[in-house]
Amino acid sequence: MPSRLTPLRVLLLDLDGVLVDTRPVMESAWHQVQKDHGLNVPFEMYERHLGRPFADIMDQLGLTDTEAIHQTYSQASTAASHLARQFDGVAEVLHAFASAEWRLGIVTSKPLNRAAPLLAQLGVPFATVRTPNGVGRGKPAPDPILLALIDLGADPADALYIGDMAVDQEAARRAGVPYVHAAWGYGAPARPAPVVAESPEDLLRLMDTGPLLKGSQA
Ligand SMILES: [Mg+2]
């Protein structure tokens, strides 16, 4: 085996609420679901569970007929996709990491057909994209993060995961990957308090301090 002179540096990122503001898309799609399926569940209850795969959110909400609901949600999301906005500075920050020879990967609970156009708009080279379309359990299980690491041939200790929900934090902890909470996203972190990035630009300081994050792991 060849020895590695420098560790791989891997930046794994969640999509919704970290790279792209898709809340207006999700809210519009959920309103369509409420209308078409006669559901009383407000968006505020739906969004509490963001970060999990859709079917898991339906379980959490105690809803049945989830396949039909998912179809409505998926079609309405595609129809409202023009409402998505990249967070300011995200593309520049990711390009900076790529230039510094970090490898970038996506771990999202958004299905691939809706994630791919958003990722293409960023114009950043992602070495792996893990969605619920692959094998394994969804977040908060560690599976998609571990699968992304396998894709890249990287150790958990050589990676960081950037998320915006407590389920992201839990998935990272269970995968043994240091977690950084994106404060501009949709959720609050859980305890123990993780490292927090206040803005996309704030992620740049991780380039030099990555190993220090080990002490902050749960
Ligand atoms: Mg998210």
Side-chain angles (χ1 to χ4, degrees):
M1 293 284 287
S3 64
R4 268 174 27 200
L5 296 176
T6 51
L8 281 169
R9 297 195 296 176
V10 174
L11 190 70
L12 300 176
L13 304 121
D14 177 39
L15 173 54
D16 299 277
V18 173
L19 304 185
V20 184
D21 183 10
T22 49
R23 194 176 184 280
V25 180
M26 298 189 279
E27 188 164 13
S28 168
W30 188 251
H31 286 157
Q32 193 65 44
V33 165
Q34 286 181 292
K35 198 166 148 237
D36 289 8
H37 298 268
L39 291 182
N40 264 330
V41 181
F43 179 69
E44 288 66 30
M45 279 187 71
Y46 173 85
E47 75 171 343
R48 238 176 260 168
H49 304 287
L50 290 180
R52 296 172 183 271
F54 191 84
D56 293 356
I57 299 180
M58 296 302 98
D59 278 351
Q60 298 277 330
L61 295 172
L63 296 176
T64 53
D65 198 19
T66 59
E67 214 160 292
I69 292 176
H70 196 186
Q71 204 175 345
T72 303
Y73 186 87
S74 188
Q75 285 170 355
S77 294
T78 302
S81 60
H82 60 281
L83 299 175
R85 292 280 178 275
Q86 284 174 29
F87 288 107
D88 285 346
V90 155
E92 292 81 356
V93 165
L94 294 185
H95 280 295
F97 274 94
S99 298
E101 297 190 3
W102 283 62
R103 302 181 74 197
L104 305 175
I106 298 295
V107 176
T108 177
S109 293
K110 187 181 265 331
L112 188 58
N113 65 331
R114 281 186 275 127
L118 296 171
L119 296 175
Q121 280 171 24
L122 286 162
V124 175
F126 294 107
T128 179
V129 177
R130 280 285 166 181
T131 70
N133 301 69
V135 297
R137 300 165 295 171
K139 294 183 287 186
D143 304 25
I145 292 178
L146 294 172
L147 289 163
L149 292 172
I150 291 168
D151 291 339
L152 301 177
D155 285 14
D158 295 334
L160 299 172
Y161 185 52
I162 318 296
D164 70 313
M165 300 296 290
V167 288
D168 299 325
Q169 185 177 358
E170 180 181 339
R173 179 182 56 77
R174 290 166 65 183
V177 170
Y179 174 75
V180 178
H181 190 81
W184 60 93
Y186 308 135
R191 299 213 159 264
V195 171
V196 174
E198 297 297 338
S199 66
E201 289 80 6
D202 201 15
L203 293 173
L204 292 170
R205 72 191 163 95
L206 300 171
M207 267 196 220
D208 302 320
T209 60
L212 297 179
L213 289 174
K214 280 182 184 146
S216 70
Q217 263 195 86

